[in-house]
């Protein structure tokens, strides 16, 4: 037997579309992580918002909600009753016409028939459709057309009741013969026997196979086993029950009374009632008790209404899937086929792209689970995010270069990539490749010469580079979070960390966060730090840690960078306890000044980055900077990263430039700043 190639419709959207944009996703996730979100939540938020050219879960959920509202506002549940009323109107009208035309009929007989019609169904007094159908059941119709319209009511009821349980039956049984109806009754009996056996726990595999062989044409979805058959039947039966629950009591009473007329066979209702009982017992978890309010203008028949209630159930499931708010939620939970049915193919393509994006994020090495099972950003992700921030910094620096290498062909240093001929006294390592190549080229003209002569030797040039011990002190007090400075602060720290780790690896960077107390932090710890709501700005403790860092690297140039939006309001007591006071106490300021002086004695080049427009803070920072011959930069929040990186690069060139923004080191001295706050403690 030859293999057959099977083709199906391509379901991946545009095959020429670019791959998912992880860079955009990583930038957005990094921003949210630095704002205090967990990486898991940050990823979910990006998937919810979507990207620049990618619809997110929120947009899909909005469309699902709109579709649901549209179904509820368009329809009402009176469709079958309205259709029965129309058939009754037509039947009675045709009968009246026939009575008026029949000249051979006795006047008394005509009057009696007119009275029967008036009592059952007339414009002046219309009883319920169920009562009219029942009263006219024994009426001897004179009009063939009227009799056919009346018989259509029974046929309609039968097809509608079956369509509620088996989608498509209303159309399939139109103009059905008695033989067709007998087949339906036989199928229902066999189905109930199968479900009864399954309900009793019997092995029904063979019985199911026989049932499908005989009645499979009633089930175009072709279930593979009893459980699949049960699922499809129970979902539709539950939708039919929810539709019934949503009707008024009058509508339910009318349909119950009419149901016995279906196909003119009460056995049909008995079989359907038994089927409903089996399904509710076997699938109690389905929603059998829900209801909806429908007050639109378009009437729904029983079968179509059941389909709409199935659509509503599908939309509710999609809404839950799109919310991703339950435990263990994943994008793979989305039912793309269901989404395509309800919102169209493009919605499924958008959702599939989000699934690919989530999978790529989890598998690309940007996210990992820690020992507690929580997602965290990997070092690779931190590097990528840092590089993105550096690109932004580079644009803001407007092309100003941060070259700080002191080129010098000398003894110790890093290799520059250049080589030169060896000279007496050189201690640089040989460039073996260039040396051997020189010997080979020389021997091409003198084959008998030595393999290597002294003139062949080349050494690798090195360049002496300055080293820096950098302390970046970032304010983590509650005002930083309250005034929207939390994320720019983290972005700045990550940009500087990435620059030093990638380009200036010989420098020693220490990140110090200071709120009520200070703490040395790794970059991963700082970027994941939640907003701190403890009051206190302990610059004294932060400077203590910075000076300790400078002393550990006595041969490096100290660079002190301080980002803050407040005056110092806490300090460390000799016993290590934190002391807090607001307004700032002179003793607290004195402790901070003393450590700042120590940093100056260690040779630190100091730059303050003042955030905010408080005049008191400006006077204090200016005085501190003037005291240590430092600089003050007052950048906008968006320019903070460029200002700090530029200042670092400028400091490493041995100068004091390199950062944009307003600045200045003038202003009153510290004594002047303390005016009105108590005597200054030196």
């Amino acid at each position: 037997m030859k293999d057959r190639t099977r083709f199906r419709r391509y379901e991946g959207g545009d095959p020429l579309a670019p791959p998912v944009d992880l860079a955009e996703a990583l930038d957005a996730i990094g921003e949210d992580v630095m704002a205090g979100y967990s990486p898991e939540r940050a990823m979910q938020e990006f998937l919810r918002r979507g990207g620049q050219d990618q619809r997110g879960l929120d947009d899909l959920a909005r469309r699902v909600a709109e579709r649901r509202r549209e179904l509820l506002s368009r329809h009402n549940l009176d469709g079958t009753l309205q259709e029965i009323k129309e058939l009754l109107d037509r039947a009675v009208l045709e009968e009246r016409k026939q009575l008026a035309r029949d000249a051979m009929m006795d006047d008394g007989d005509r009057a009696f028939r007119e009275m029967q019609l008036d009592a059952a169904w007339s414009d002046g007094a219309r009883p319920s459709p169920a009562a009219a159908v029942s009263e006219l059941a024994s009426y001897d119709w004179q009009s063939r057309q009227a009799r056919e319209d009346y018989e259509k009511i029974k046929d309609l009821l039968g097809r509608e009741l079956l369509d509620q349980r088996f989608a498509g039956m209303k159309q399939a049984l139109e103009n059905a013969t008695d033989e067709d109806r007998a087949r339906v009754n036989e199928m229902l009996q066999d189905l109930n026997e199968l479900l009864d056996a399954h309900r009793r726990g019997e092995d029904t595999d063979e019985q199911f196979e026989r049932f499908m062989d005989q009645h499979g044409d009633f089930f175009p979805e072709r279930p593979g086993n009893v459980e699949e058959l049960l699922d499809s039947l129970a979902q539709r039966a539950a939708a039919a029950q929810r539709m019934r629950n949503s009707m008024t009591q009058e509508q339910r009473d009318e349909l119950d009374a009419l149901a016995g007329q279906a196909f003119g066979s009460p056995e049909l209702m008995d079989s359907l009632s038994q089927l409903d009982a089996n399904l509710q017992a076997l699938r109690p978890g389905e929603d059998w008790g829900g209801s909806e309010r429908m007050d639109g203008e378009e009437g729904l028949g029983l079968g179509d209404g059941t389909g709409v209630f199935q659509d509503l159930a599908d939309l509710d499931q999609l809404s839950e899937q799109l919310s991703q708010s339950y435990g263990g939620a994943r994008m793979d939970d989305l039912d793309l086929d269901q989404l395509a049915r309800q919102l169209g193919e493009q919605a499924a393509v958008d959702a599939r792209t989000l699934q690919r994006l989530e999978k790529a994020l989890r598998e690309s090495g940007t996210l990992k689970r820690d020992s507690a099972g929580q997602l965290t950003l990997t070092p690779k992700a931190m590097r990528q995010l840092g590089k993105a921030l550096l690109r932004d910094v580079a644009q803001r620096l407007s092309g100003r270069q941060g070259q700080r290498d002191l080129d010098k062909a000398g003894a110790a240093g890093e290799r520059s990539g250049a080589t030169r001929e060896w000279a007496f006294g050189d201690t640089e390592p040989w460039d073996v490749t260039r040396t051997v190549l020189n010997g080979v080229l020389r021997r091409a003209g003198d084959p008998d010469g030595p393999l290597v002569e002294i003139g062949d030797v080349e050494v690798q040039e090195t360049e002496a580079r300055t080293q820096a011990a950098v302390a970046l002190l970032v304010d983590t007090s509650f005002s930083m979070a309250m005034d929207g400075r939390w994320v720019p602060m983290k972005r700045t720290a990550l940009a500087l960390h990435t620059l030093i780790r990638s380009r200036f690896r010989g420098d020693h960077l220490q990140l110090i966060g200071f709120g009520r107390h200070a703490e040395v932090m790794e970059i991963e710890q700082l970027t994941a730090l939640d907003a701190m709501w403890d009051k206190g700005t302990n610059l004294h403790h932060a400077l203590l840690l910075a000076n300790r860092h400078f002393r550990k690297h006595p041969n490096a140039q100290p660079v002190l960078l301080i980002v803050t939006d407040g005056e110092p309001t806490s300090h460390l007591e000799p016993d290590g306890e934190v002391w807090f006071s607001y307004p700032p106490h002179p003793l607290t300021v004195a402790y901070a000044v003393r450590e700042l002086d120590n940093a100056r004695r260690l040779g630190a080049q100091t730059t303050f980055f003042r955030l905010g427009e408080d005049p008191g803070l400006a006077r204090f920072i200016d005085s501190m900077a003037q005291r240590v011959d430092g600089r003050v930069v007052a950048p906008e929040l968006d320019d903070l990263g460029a200002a700090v990186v530029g200042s670092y690069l400028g400091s490493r060139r041995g100068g004091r430039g390199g950062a944009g923004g307003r600045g200045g080191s003038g202003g009153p001295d510290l004594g002047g700043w303390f005016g009105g706050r108590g005597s200054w403690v030196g």
Side-chain angles (χ1 to χ4, degrees):
M1 179 177 177
K2 295 183 178 179
D3 293 336
R4 295 182 179 180
T5 302
R6 300 182 64 184
F7 296 92
R8 60 186 178 91
R9 183 166 54 88
Y10 176 69
E11 297 179 346
D14 182 1
L16 301 180
V20 291
D21 187 356
L22 282 184
E24 180 187 15
L26 183 59
D27 287 347
I29 290 171
E31 286 286 324
D32 285 346
V33 167
M34 289 190 287
Y37 288 8
S38 69
E40 180 81 45
R41 183 183 172 193
M43 179 176 67
Q44 291 173 352
E45 287 298 316
F46 177 77
L47 295 174
R48 189 177 307 284
R49 294 190 304 264
Q52 183 176 358
D53 300 314
Q54 169 64 46
R55 292 184 181 89
L57 294 174
D58 280 349
D59 182 73
L60 293 172
R62 175 187 56 78
R63 293 173 60 193
V64 165
E66 288 177 353
R67 168 73 172 154
R68 196 181 195 283
R69 286 194 298 270
E70 186 263 339
L71 288 176
L72 292 176
S73 63
R74 184 203 305 173
H75 300 296
N76 65 60
L77 303 179
D78 216 22
T80 297
L81 289 175
Q82 189 60 40
E83 196 169 352
I84 291 171
K85 291 175 183 178
E86 291 174 359
L87 287 170
L88 280 170
D89 282 339
R90 283 163 46 188
V92 170
L93 179 60
E94 290 298 325
E95 181 67 6
R96 291 184 190 280
K97 289 179 180 179
Q98 183 62 37
L99 292 177
R101 289 193 299 265
D102 194 348
M104 302 296 294
M105 181 175 291
D106 180 79
D107 289 343
D109 189 28
R110 180 183 294 109
F112 178 72
R113 291 178 181 276
E114 288 282 1
M115 185 177 63
Q116 282 183 295
L117 295 176
D118 287 342
W121 194 254
S122 67
D123 293 335
R126 289 196 172 188
S128 71
V133 171
S134 178
E135 285 201 25
L136 293 173
S138 59
Y139 179 80
D140 183 17
W141 297 92
Q142 299 300 300
S143 167
R144 182 178 59 84
Q145 181 61 50
R147 183 183 298 108
E148 289 178 358
D149 286 337
Y150 177 78
E151 292 298 327
K152 284 180 181 178
I153 294 174
K154 299 180 180 180
D155 181 70
L156 171 67
L157 286 169
R159 291 189 291 121
E160 286 278 21
L161 290 170
L162 286 170
D163 203 39
Q164 275 195 301
R165 279 75 172 185
F166 309 95
M169 278 289 200
K170 183 178 180 180
Q171 291 75 26
L173 291 178
E174 193 170 9
N175 302 318
T177 64
D178 291 339
E179 183 181 352
D180 294 329
R181 297 189 186 97
R183 280 197 65 220
V184 171
N185 285 326
E186 182 184 3
M187 180 271 292
L188 287 172
Q189 292 173 4
D190 291 347
L191 177 59
N192 279 319
E193 289 177 5
L194 172 64
L195 297 185
D196 280 336
H198 191 71
R199 187 175 174 181
R200 293 192 299 269
E202 298 176 10
D203 185 354
T204 56
D205 290 345
E206 292 185 6
Q207 189 176 355
F208 171 77
E209 293 297 334
R210 290 195 304 271
F211 176 82
M212 291 302 297
D213 288 341
Q214 188 172 356
H215 305 295
D217 54 328
F218 287 103
F219 305 92
E221 66 274 17
R222 304 301 297 178
N225 51 51
V226 177
E227 295 297 329
E228 291 182 8
L229 176 64
L230 270 171
D231 287 340
S232 62
L233 289 175
Q235 288 168 8
R236 189 159 180 89
Q241 183 61 46
R242 292 195 299 275
M243 181 180 180
R244 176 182 170 82
N245 299 343
S246 303
M247 294 177 176
T248 65
Q249 187 61 50
E250 181 183 0
Q251 289 172 325
R252 288 196 290 268
D253 291 344
E254 284 293 318
L255 289 171
D256 288 345
L258 285 166
Q261 304 289 335
F263 288 155
S265 170
E267 290 79 7
L268 174 64
M269 276 309 299
D270 292 340
S271 295
L272 291 178
S273 297
Q274 184 182 355
L275 174 62
D276 289 343
N278 278 323
L279 293 174
Q280 290 198 37
L282 289 166
R283 288 294 184 269
E286 292 288 341
D287 181 9
W288 300 95
S291 63
E292 300 287 351
R293 180 178 177 180
M294 289 190 173
D295 50 9
E297 297 183 357
E298 185 178 323
L300 287 171
L302 297 180
D304 291 340
T306 299
V308 168
F309 273 80
Q310 279 192 294
D311 286 341
L312 292 172
D314 287 349
L315 292 169
D316 289 340
Q317 289 180 1
L318 286 172
S319 180
E320 183 179 11
Q321 293 167 9
L322 291 168
S323 74
Q324 295 281 287
S325 59
Y326 48 92
R330 297 287 291 265
M331 288 297 300
D332 287 343
D333 298 341
L334 289 182
D335 189 330
L336 299 184
D337 292 335
Q338 201 174 75
L339 196 61
R341 284 196 305 271
Q342 298 298 336
L343 300 184
E345 288 295 333
Q346 185 56 48
V349 171
D350 291 335
R352 188 177 295 107
T353 303
L354 291 174
Q355 287 180 336
R356 291 169 51 211
L357 182 58
E358 182 196 43
K359 183 177 180 182
L361 284 169
R362 293 182 184 277
E363 296 180 355
S364 64
T366 58
L367 297 172
K368 67 176 181 180
R369 294 200 178 274
D370 59 18
S371 57
Q374 299 296 317
L375 279 184
T376 61
L377 293 177
T378 63
K380 175 183 176 181
M382 296 294 293
R383 288 194 298 272
Q384 290 176 332
L385 182 57
K387 289 176 181 177
L389 294 175
L390 272 182
R391 287 194 296 271
D392 180 64
V393 165
Q395 292 175 354
R396 293 183 180 276
L397 286 174
S398 301
R400 293 195 296 271
Q401 298 297 316
Q403 302 297 332
R404 59 174 182 81
D405 295 342
L406 303 179
D407 295 333
K408 175 183 175 184
E414 299 181 22
R415 298 175 184 178
S416 66
T419 62
R420 59 177 171 78
E421 185 178 349
W422 177 86
F424 180 77
D426 284 338
T427 59
E428 288 82 9
W430 284 18
D431 188 312
V432 177
T433 302
R434 294 285 302 177
T435 298
V436 173
L437 178 61
N438 290 338
V440 171
L441 293 176
R442 177 181 48 74
R443 291 188 66 194
D446 182 14
D448 298 328
L451 179 61
V452 175
E453 290 184 347
I454 193 63
D456 298 329
V457 177
E458 292 195 21
V459 296
Q460 298 173 345
E461 283 194 342
T462 61
E463 49 192 19
R465 298 189 181 206
T466 58
Q467 279 189 328
V470 186
L472 175 61
L473 282 54
V474 290
D475 191 340
T476 58
S477 62
F478 81 99
S479 60
M480 290 285 287
M482 182 176 64
D483 295 332
R485 297 160 186 157
W486 198 253
V487 173
M489 174 269 290
K490 290 183 177 184
R491 289 170 58 92
T492 297
L494 182 54
L496 182 62
H497 178 273
T498 302
L499 176 65
I500 291 176
R501 289 293 182 267
S502 60
R503 292 189 57 193
F504 306 124
R505 298 177 183 176
D507 288 357
H508 309 282
L509 172 65
Q510 188 167 87
L511 302 174
I512 301 171
F514 63 99
R516 194 175 186 87
H517 67 278
E519 179 183 359
V520 176
M521 296 181 176
E522 296 297 328
I523 187 61
E524 295 81 7
Q525 179 186 2
L526 179 60
T527 53
L529 186 67
D530 286 338
M532 308 287 284
W533 299 104
D534 289 338
K535 293 183 178 180
T537 305
N538 200 332
L539 181 60
H540 166 237
H541 192 187
L543 288 169
L544 277 172
L545 296 176
N547 288 335
R548 183 183 303 170
H549 175 60
F550 296 151
R551 292 187 184 100
K552 286 182 179 178
H553 306 283
N555 297 323
Q557 168 63 51
V559 177
L560 179 61
L561 308 171
I562 304 172
V563 178
T564 186
D565 70 346
E567 302 149 308
T569 55
S570 62
H571 67 268
L572 284 186
E573 291 282 275
D575 61 0
E577 293 296 318
V578 174
W579 193 86
F580 169 79
S581 174
Y582 185 85
H585 193 279
L587 184 62
T588 298
V589 176
Y591 273 118
V593 169
R594 184 177 65 188
E595 286 307 314
L596 189 65
D597 288 343
N598 288 337
R600 181 188 60 180
R601 282 190 285 273
L602 290 170
Q605 297 185 22
T606 302
T607 305
F608 287 89
F609 299 90
R610 174 173 57 81
L611 304 179
E613 301 296 334
D614 179 59
L617 174 64
R619 289 194 299 270
F620 171 74
I621 294 294
D622 287 346
S623 299
M624 294 276 278
Q626 185 180 30
R627 183 180 182 90
V628 295
D629 195 26
R631 298 182 65 246
V632 177
V633 180
E636 299 294 333
L637 282 180
D638 289 344
D639 290 327
L640 178 61
V644 171
V645 170
S647 179
Y648 159 71
L649 294 173
S651 297
R652 296 308 294 114
R653 288 197 298 271
R656 305 216 9 226
R662 299 190 309 278
S665 57
D669 61 16
L670 287 173
W673 181 79
F674 281 115
R677 298 180 183 243
S679 60
W680 174 62
V681 180

